[in-house]
Amino acid sequence: MSIARQLFDVLVAGVLAFVILFLGSYVAPQLASTLAILVACGFYFSRYPWGSQDGTKINDRIDDLYDRYLPF
């Protein structure tokens, strides 16, 4: 994985966290930040799993999508 792709994954995780935080603040204000952090971390660590064997298939699909639409 290149540094640019890791930075893009961090950006995607941040956007996910913001969306969950924004929507969650209306539904469950006390849980919104916790839920946003869990979703963002879940996305990022699913992209870079430690010892997972099923994650490689999904990561290959995401990498193919990145190759198709991103110039780096």
Side-chain angles (χ1 to χ4, degrees):
M1 292 281 163
S2 70
I3 296 295
R5 287 190 180 194
Q6 286 183 348
L7 289 175
F8 187 75
D9 286 334
V10 168
L11 178 68
V12 170
V15 168
L16 281 172
F18 176 76
V19 169
I20 296 297
L21 183 62
F22 183 74
L23 295 175
S25 65
Y26 292 111
V27 177
Q30 289 82 11
L31 295 175
S33 61
T34 302
L35 190 60
I37 291 169
L38 285 175
V39 168
C41 290
F43 170 77
Y44 185 78
F45 286 116
S46 71
R47 287 287 288 144
Y48 303 98
W50 294 326
S52 174
Q53 296 169 353
D54 294 337
T56 57
K57 293 177 187 175
I58 296 170
N59 285 339
D60 288 341
R61 289 184 200 155
I62 293 172
D63 289 336
D64 290 341
L65 184 71
Y66 284 1
D67 288 339
R68 205 172 331 156
Y69 293 109
L70 297 175
F72 48 86

